[in-house]
């Protein structure tokens, strides 16, 4: 029997090429991957409540008898409604259905059902709209709810998963060895897969979840620990000498204490003759990580080795190239840029010079990990905003050298507990001090009636020679963007105080050449306003931009707002961030007010975690957390357990080559490639 990971989804009934495409958007191309597409949540009808105990905060399940079915009435074209009144013998509830003729035919007077939905309470009147209805004898009382995309429905996924489950072979190879299952009291993979999709009861669901969380975190930890040892077996390139002071004299400013400290920590790692440097540099946006990276490169180049700097986007790579070219202008250091969009002939020329040792600092996007890229003496690998890279990509770059030193830069302040999970035991340098003369970005929260005044304020600043960002109210996910609303947003600005400003648009679906040209216009002052989706979030540096206006601010997490805000306040002029939100929710307003109170990224990250809860923190890739299928913050206990388990496994079997670890080895590879999106 071929592996389920080799069987395409189109082999299932009801899935043609079109539908398969939708599934693939959700991450499932094969039957095996479909089984790993776990439910987002469940409709739990296993413990129905009394009507009067119904909680209006979330959906709940009520068991009740139909007392009366009122005939449907048409309330407008294409909309009929019918009502039920139901009772649990104690209280009464009204239920509305819209356009659900089949329900009308199905529900009988006197019949008893489970109704699952949101209960609204108005004085002593209870009401539920369009609930899920299930017979009281129904087997599956906990129903999976999957993430959806496009026209795909939950039912279609349920059907596909049921077929996939039927294809599970009698004996599944379990990646977790028996001794681990025994030691941690975990259920088998077969039980886990069946019950994570269609739980027999809530106990079975817990068991299934516990096991899958354990496996996921264990594989993650094993992967991270193994990455640390990739190419780590050889000896470090020991630098004979540090060149910090010589480097600092090249800078047009004097470094902050934090920058000096970070540089000397890195240089110490590279000169002490111990294992290669393996360090994380964490610093808020604008804290000056680039200068630290440049200092470390300088020492390496002076010791006659090559450096590589990998950035997640072309814009960022180009910016690093510009910054470093500026700093090293008169030093004879040879710096080049390599990105995917360059012409083949340009690339070939660079490959050759790099292999010949004619380039000292190679800056680029993931184009750097192409097979064709060879270094002659790579001794330092720097990845910027590294969480945008998969573990495998980082490892691929590292493997181009012989145990190079590694510096990972992250602009996302992460609470310590989480750092453990993402970075394992990298050594940590923190830039906790901003360059001098930086003013605190003044942050205001307004509602839309005040927008016109705010735009007038933008106009005034533009007249004074400054530039502004507007983050426009656009949903942009990996591949859908509502361009019309972007354009109509810009159109609408023509009827505001900004009517005569030069406005550019930047969004994630533009070709990189288009993006570059818009960015170039903005950074050279040929545009007054850059209207953008969140693509500007990553590292853009235009010091003359002093105002950022963020529409629908409530849609963003605090950490993400903080990242966005970091685009202004980069020069010496007073900068402003204007959050526009019409949210009526007290908690949302509270959350946004945190932004007005502090500029400290670590404080904001803590608040974000506290206010939004761990689920969201994990849900957002912005935080650099690996995409997890099942685990979340409430699984911290398992995290510690799995970390210990991973260390023990690797101590016994560093290459995961023992027969009982084969499955884990395969899972490590799979997950690393899955994470390297
Ligand atoms: P980030 O940490 O976000 O990558 P950058 O390295 O881009 O920050 O630095 C932000 C800006 O601050 C740049 O314009 C840089 O030249 C400037 N800068 C960095 N360090 C200092 C310093 N010590 N004094 C003054 N300006 C500095
Ligand atoms: Mg940066």
């Amino acid at each position: 029997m071929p592996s389920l990971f080799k069987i395409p989804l189109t082999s299932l009934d009801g899935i043609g090429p079109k539908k398969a495409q939708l599934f693939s958007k959700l991450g499932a191309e094969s039957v095996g991957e479909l089984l790993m597409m776990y439910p987002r949540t469940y409709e739990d009808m296993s413990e129905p409540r009394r009507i009067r105990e119904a909680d209006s905060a979330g959906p709940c399940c009520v068991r009740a008898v139909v007392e009366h079915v009122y005939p449907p009435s048409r309330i407008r074209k294409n909309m009929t409604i019918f009502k039920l009144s139901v009772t649990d013998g104690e209280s009464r509830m009204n239920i509305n259905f819209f356009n659900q003729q089949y329900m009308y035919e199905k529900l009988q007077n006197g019949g008893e059902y489970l109704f699952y939905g949101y209960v609204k309470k108005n004085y002593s009147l209870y009401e539920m709209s369009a609930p899920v209805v299930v017979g009281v004898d129904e087997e599956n009382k906990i129903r999976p709810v999957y993430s959806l995309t496009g026209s795909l429905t939950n039912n279609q996924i349920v059907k596909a998963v049921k077929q996939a489950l039927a294809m599970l072979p009698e004996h599944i190879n379990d990646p977790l060895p028996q001794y681990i299952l025994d030691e941690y009291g975990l259920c088998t993979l077969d039980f886990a897969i069946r019950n994570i999709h269609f739980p027999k009861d809530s106990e079975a669901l817990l068991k299934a979840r516990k096991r899958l969380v354990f496996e996921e975190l264990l594989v993650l930890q094993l992967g991270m620990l193994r990455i640390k040892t990739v190419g780590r077996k050889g000896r470090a390139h020991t630098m004979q000498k540090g060149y910090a002071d010589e480097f600092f004299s090249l800078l047009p400013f004097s470094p902050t204490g934090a920058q000096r400290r970070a540089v000397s920590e890195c240089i110490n790692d590279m000169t002490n003759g111990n294992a290669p440097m393996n360090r994380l540099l964490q610093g808020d946006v604008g804290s000056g990580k680039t200068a630290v990276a440049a200092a470390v490169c300088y020492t390496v180049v002076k010791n006659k080795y090559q450096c590589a700097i990998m950035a997640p986007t072309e814009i960022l790579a180009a910016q690093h190239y510009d910054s470093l070219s500026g700093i090293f202008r008169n030093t004879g250091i040879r710096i080049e840029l390599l990105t995917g969009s360059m012409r083949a002939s340009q690339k070939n020329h660079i490959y050759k010079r790099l292999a010949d040792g004619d380039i000292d600092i190679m800056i680029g996007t993931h184009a750097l990990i192409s097979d064709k890229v060879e270094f002659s003496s790579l001794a330092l690998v720097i990845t910027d905003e590294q969480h945008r890279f998969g573990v495998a990509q980082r490892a691929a770059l590292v493997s181009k050298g012989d145990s190079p030193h590694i510096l990972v830069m992250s602009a996302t302040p992460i609470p310590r507990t989480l750092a453990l999970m993402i970075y394992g035991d990298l050594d940590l340098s923190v830039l906790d001090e901003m360059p001098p003369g930086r003013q605190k970005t003044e942050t205001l929260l307004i509602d839309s009636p005040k927008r016109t005044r705010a735009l007038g304020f933008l106009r005034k600043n533009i007249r004074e020679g400054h530039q502004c960002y507007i983050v426009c109210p656009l949903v942009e996910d990996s591949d859908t963007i509502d361009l019309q609303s972007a354009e109509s947003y810009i159109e609408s600005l023509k009827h505001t105080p900004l009517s005569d400003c030069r406005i550019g648009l930047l969004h994630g679906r533009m070709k990189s050449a288009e993006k570059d040209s818009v960015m170039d216009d903005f950074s050279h002052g040929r545009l007054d306003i850059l209207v953008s989706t969140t693509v500007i979030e990553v590292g853009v540096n235009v010091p003359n931009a002093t105002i950022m206006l963020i529409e629908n601010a409530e849609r963003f997490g605090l950490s993400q707002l903080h990242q966005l805000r970091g685009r202004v306040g980069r020069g010496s002029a007073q900068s402003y961030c204007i959050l526009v939100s019409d949210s009526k929710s007290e908690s949302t307003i509270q959350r946004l007010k945190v932004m007005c109170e502090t500029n400290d990224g670590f404080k904001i990250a803590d608040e974000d975690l506290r206010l939004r809860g761990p689920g969201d923190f994990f849900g957002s890739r912005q935080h650099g957390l690996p995409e997890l299928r099942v685990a979340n913050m409430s699984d911290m206990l398992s995290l510690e357990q799995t970390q210990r388990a991973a260390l023990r496994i690797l101590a016994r079997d560093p290459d995961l080559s023992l027969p009982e670890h084969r499955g884990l080895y395969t899972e490590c590879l799979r997950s690393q490639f899955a994470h390297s999106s």
Side-chain angles (χ1 to χ4, degrees), residues 93-339:
M93 180 167 74
N94 288 329
I95 300 185
N96 309 314
F97 289 96
F98 306 95
N99 287 346
Q100 282 172 292
Q101 188 62 28
Y102 64 95
M103 274 294 175
Y104 179 70
E105 279 144 31
K106 169 179 163 183
L107 294 169
Q108 307 285 333
N109 270 337
E112 188 168 18
Y113 304 92
L114 300 173
F115 299 94
Y116 180 91
Y118 285 88
V119 174
K120 263 199 302 207
K121 189 180 173 195
N122 217 337
Y123 299 100
S124 59
L125 226 67
Y126 295 91
E127 192 179 64
M128 203 183 242
S129 286
V132 176
V133 185
V134 169
V136 289
D137 300 325
E138 174 84 22
E139 282 276 302
N140 286 320
K141 291 216 178 74
I142 306 182
R143 304 185 153 195
V145 178
Y146 296 93
S147 298
L148 302 176
T149 185
S151 59
L152 207 56
T153 66
N154 200 57
N155 257 335
Q156 289 168 337
I157 299 183
V158 164
K159 278 196 187 128
V161 172
K162 280 193 172 147
Q163 291 181 63
L165 284 174
M167 292 165 78
L168 277 176
E170 196 137 315
H171 176 78
I172 314 181
N173 288 330
D174 194 330
L176 292 182
Q178 190 62 43
Y179 74 92
I180 293 274
L181 295 182
D182 294 343
E183 185 170 341
Y184 294 94
L186 303 171
C187 67
T188 62
L189 181 57
D190 185 81
F191 181 92
I193 295 180
R194 291 180 193 280
N195 281 281
I196 198 76
H197 288 290
F198 304 107
K200 197 164 65 58
D201 49 38
S202 47
E203 195 188 338
L205 176 56
L206 275 179
K207 261 171 119 170
R209 205 178 162 277
K210 177 179 169 194
R211 184 236 135 89
L212 294 171
V213 166
F214 190 96
E215 180 183 326
E216 177 165 58
L217 294 180
L218 179 67
V219 166
L220 183 79
Q221 302 287 332
L222 282 173
M224 258 173 349
L225 289 169
R226 277 170 45 75
I227 284 301
K228 274 182 218 145
T229 56
V230 167
R232 308 270 87 185
K233 287 188 190 124
R235 284 170 48 84
H237 297 277
T238 301
M239 304 295 142
Q240 297 309 315
K241 191 168 168 255
Y243 289 84
D245 289 329
E246 197 176 309
F247 171 79
F248 290 143
S249 71
L250 299 174
L251 291 175
F253 45 74
S254 63
T256 63
Q259 284 170 318
R260 282 181 184 278
R261 195 170 55 240
V263 169
S264 80
E265 284 164 349
C266 293
I267 290 183
N268 184 47
D269 285 352
M270 299 193 300
T271 51
N272 65 11
N274 297 340
M277 168 164 78
N278 204 15
R279 187 169 283 278
L280 171 67
L281 176 64
Q282 256 204 24
D284 218 336
V285 274
S287 59
K289 291 184 290 298
T290 315
V292 174
V296 182
C297 288
Y298 190 74
T299 286
V300 170
V301 173
K302 281 293 180 183
N303 282 275
K304 307 229 165 6
Y305 290 108
Q306 291 175 307
C307 314
I309 302 180
M310 182 160 73
T313 64
E314 301 213 350
I315 293 181
L316 257 181
Q319 236 167 52
H320 281 313
Y321 175 75
D322 289 342
S323 313
L324 266 63
S325 301
I327 296 174
F328 293 133
R329 195 167 24 236
N330 298 316
T331 58
I333 292 177
R334 296 155 302 177
I335 308 177
E336 286 297 338
L337 178 67
L338 182 73
T339 62

Side-chain angles (χ1 to χ4, degrees), residues 277-509:
M277 168 164 78
N278 204 15
R279 187 169 283 278
L280 171 67
L281 176 64
Q282 256 204 24
D284 218 336
V285 274
S287 59
K289 291 184 290 298
T290 315
V292 174
V296 182
C297 288
Y298 190 74
T299 286
V300 170
V301 173
K302 281 293 180 183
N303 282 275
K304 307 229 165 6
Y305 290 108
Q306 291 175 307
C307 314
I309 302 180
M310 182 160 73
T313 64
E314 301 213 350
I315 293 181
L316 257 181
Q319 236 167 52
H320 281 313
Y321 175 75
D322 289 342
S323 313
L324 266 63
S325 301
I327 296 174
F328 293 133
R329 195 167 24 236
N330 298 316
T331 58
I333 292 177
R334 296 155 302 177
I335 308 177
E336 286 297 338
L337 178 67
L338 182 73
T339 62
S341 64
M342 286 166 57
R343 273 180 292 122
S345 59
Q346 283 176 296
K347 287 187 199 164
N348 288 330
H349 186 56
I350 286 181
Y351 298 150
K352 176 158 189 323
R353 290 180 53 214
L354 194 60
D356 289 347
D358 293 340
I359 294 174
D360 301 309
I361 304 178
M362 188 69 248
I363 300 175
T365 56
H366 55 271
L368 290 182
I369 60 182
S370 149
D371 280 341
K372 296 195 179 131
V373 175
E374 273 178 49
F375 291 80
S376 67
S377 58
L378 179 63
L380 170 67
V381 165
I382 300 180
T383 51
D384 190 11
E385 325 267 337
Q386 67 87 36
H387 59 267
R388 305 241 168 182
F389 296 110
V391 186
Q393 284 172 308
R394 221 192 314 156
L397 185 54
V398 167
S399 71
K400 291 189 181 292
D402 180 14
S403 308
H405 298 284
I406 300 174
L407 181 65
V408 171
M409 302 200 287
S410 165
T412 314
I414 298 163
R416 285 223 163 237
T417 37
L418 294 191
L420 170 76
M421 154 157 260
I422 315 160
Y423 301 112
D425 56 18
L426 293 191
D427 297 313
L428 184 63
S429 291
V430 180
L431 295 185
D432 53 3
E433 179 187 353
M434 284 290 173
R438 207 58 63 77
Q439 310 214 20
K440 175 174 173 290
T441 297
E442 204 59 56
T443 302
L444 307 114
L445 176 60
I446 64 169
D447 54 9
S448 39
K450 300 216 180 71
R451 188 190 279 104
T452 309
R453 257 184 69 192
L455 296 180
F457 182 63
L458 264 65
R459 183 75 196 91
K460 176 170 159 288
N461 275 263
I462 288 167
R463 208 166 271 142
E464 289 164 4
H466 292 295
Q467 292 162 281
C468 307
Y469 294 103
I470 297 180
V471 177
C472 72
L474 266 192
V475 184
E476 179 172 15
D477 63 29
S478 54
D479 47 17
T480 54
I481 171 167
D482 188 357
L483 267 184
Q484 216 177 356
S485 58
E487 273 146 23
S488 67
Y489 183 79
I490 288 188
E491 194 54 39
S492 75
L493 291 180
K494 299 213 170 110
H495 309 288
T496 71
L498 303 178
S499 55
D500 57 345
C501 293
R502 297 165 301 171
I503 302 176
L505 173 66
L506 193 70
H507 61 75
R509 296 303 284 167

Side-chain angles (χ1 to χ4, degrees), residues 30 52 85 291 426 452 458 517 521 530 573:
S30 65
R52 69 175 164 78
S85 103
L426 293 191
T452 309
L458 264 65
S517 119
D521 285 345
L530 186 63

